[in-house]
Amino acid sequence: MPQGNSTKPRGASSPKLIRDRADELVSAIGRDDFFALLSGALGDILHFEFLIVFLYRKDAAPARLHDSITAARHRKGLNNYLKNTYVLNPFYQALRKGVEPGVYFMKNFMPAPCDLENRQQDFRLRVDSYEEIGFLTEDWPSGMQELLLVMPIDPSTLVEVSLSKKEAGGGFTAGNVTELRAVFSFLHALIRKHWEVASHLVAPELEAPLLERLFMNFGQDVLSERERQVIRLVLLGHSSTSVALNLGVALPTVKSHRRNAYAKLEISSQAELFALFMSSVHELRDLALNHSSP
């Protein structure tokens, strides 16, 4: 596993290191240890604290394909992300609009300007201005910088390899990005082939998640379509200025829609908006559990 310092030999290039591992990686295609070996190969190129491989499919919650997390608390944080906070994650939201294959910093997907001061503990997250995305999922390790390898498999399927490193130790560098880009095409081809061979093993059929449906339909009984668009962006952390830029409307128009939506929802603040949304989440999950009980 890629814990600790990189084992990259002095003077060795990233393409050469991957080529040296090529036979091993190709032989692992379709096997259960494929992603563990891929993690080791990446650990030869650069140092990171832990790696997570996520699967994203259309109309489905993200799924974990592999990780090198060792701390039980941090694994709980990963589960919280998969069950709760993924819907507010800037990368997840960017996927809805389409993301080109490549190597990215998480901050590349952040809305600007961002308004996160009223995020609620009820969403299993807390505001933290030192975090790249402005908030921290409950039990997730703090102070981490994320570097993402984004690898579309087909129009409805994408694999993300997320590398995390303590920002206080210097984080990732532009050089790290250059090294990963040098081997990205080869890694992308490997993962696509692995998916072709082993998708039935690593990708059980996923239902459209309750949280995603609720997020898209939140307030539909009382709000206009434009008001719902504004409220969704507010839930994602956008300020009124950012909402105006995203929707292509004037700032006073956004403020008017936001004020009207709050009145219809019988709330007066962003904090109350988050609390109302999470109350709806809990009610929907309880209903689903009751229906699934014998």
Side-chain angles (χ1 to χ4, degrees):
M1 295 297 177
Q3 310 295 322
N5 293 327
S6 167
T7 58
K8 179 178 177 179
R10 187 183 302 276
S13 68
S14 299
K16 181 179 185 303
L17 284 168
I18 290 295
R19 284 198 300 270
D20 291 344
R21 290 258 198 165
D23 289 344
E24 180 183 34
L25 290 169
V26 170
S27 297
I29 288 174
R31 296 195 332 230
D32 291 342
D33 62 344
F34 171 79
F35 284 115
L37 291 172
L38 179 65
S39 177
L42 289 170
D44 285 345
I45 296 175
L46 76 166
H47 167 65
F48 49 90
E49 306 294 331
F50 60 85
L51 169 150
I52 307 173
V53 182
F54 292 104
L55 169 69
Y56 294 92
R57 296 174 69 181
K58 185 178 180 181
D59 298 326
R64 181 200 70 87
L65 298 182
H66 174 79
D67 72 77
S68 61
I69 294 175
T70 56
R73 181 183 177 187
H74 297 163
R75 184 167 298 283
K76 184 178 177 182
L78 172 59
N79 291 333
N80 283 337
Y81 169 77
L82 293 172
K83 292 180 180 179
N84 293 287
T85 62
Y86 74 86
V87 75
L88 299 183
N89 183 276
F91 174 68
Y92 178 80
Q93 289 300 320
L95 289 181
R96 299 169 59 83
K97 300 177 182 178
V99 177
E100 293 295 316
V103 182
Y104 299 89
F105 286 104
M106 175 62 81
K107 63 185 178 183
N108 294 146
F109 300 102
M110 280 299 298
C114 198
D115 182 16
L116 291 156
E117 68 271 12
N118 289 313
R119 297 281 177 136
Q120 294 297 289
Q121 280 282 17
D122 284 344
F123 214 111
R124 297 189 181 277
L125 53 83
R126 63 176 171 83
V127 179
D128 192 329
S129 60
Y130 293 100
E131 294 298 316
E132 276 190 305
I133 60 176
F135 66 88
L136 183 68
T137 294
E138 183 181 336
D139 292 318
W140 193 263
S142 62
M144 307 302 292
Q145 184 185 44
E146 285 188 68
L147 195 56
L148 314 179
L149 283 71
V150 179
M151 302 178 176
I153 304 300
D154 57 47
S156 62
T157 309
L158 180 143
V159 170
E160 171 207 347
V161 179
S162 171
L163 309 174
S164 293
K165 185 178 182 181
K166 282 284 187 183
E167 201 156 20
F172 295 110
T173 66
N176 293 149
V177 174
T178 299
E179 290 180 309
L180 289 175
R181 284 177 176 164
V183 298
F184 179 83
S185 294
F186 175 68
L187 297 179
H188 192 186
L190 277 177
I191 287 179
R192 292 182 72 170
K193 187 63 178 178
H194 177 69
W195 180 264
E196 179 184 328
V197 173
S199 60
H200 65 289
L201 298 176
V202 298
E205 194 63 32
L206 301 174
E207 296 180 359
L210 293 175
L211 186 57
E212 177 70 11
R213 294 202 300 272
L214 178 61
F215 177 72
M216 294 305 298
N217 297 328
F218 181 64
Q220 65 179 350
D221 293 338
V222 295
L223 304 181
S224 69
E225 178 58 30
R226 181 60 89 183
E227 288 166 347
R228 286 167 55 203
Q229 290 174 339
V230 169
I231 289 301
R232 284 198 293 267
L233 288 170
V234 171
L235 282 169
L236 292 174
H238 290 260
S239 66
S240 292
T241 301
S242 181
V243 172
L245 291 171
N246 275 269
L247 297 181
V249 298
L251 180 58
T253 301
V254 169
K255 290 183 176 180
S256 176
H257 284 313
R258 187 169 179 173
R259 184 167 54 248
N260 292 339
Y262 279 17
K264 291 178 181 180
L265 294 171
E266 299 181 349
I267 58 175
S268 59
S269 69
Q270 189 180 18
E272 291 179 324
L273 175 64
F274 279 103
L276 181 62
F277 178 63
M278 283 313 300
S279 177
S280 300
V281 170
H282 297 319
E283 288 176 7
L284 188 61
R285 283 184 172 160
D286 288 343
L287 183 63
L289 287 172
N290 290 336
H291 278 296
S292 63
S293 300

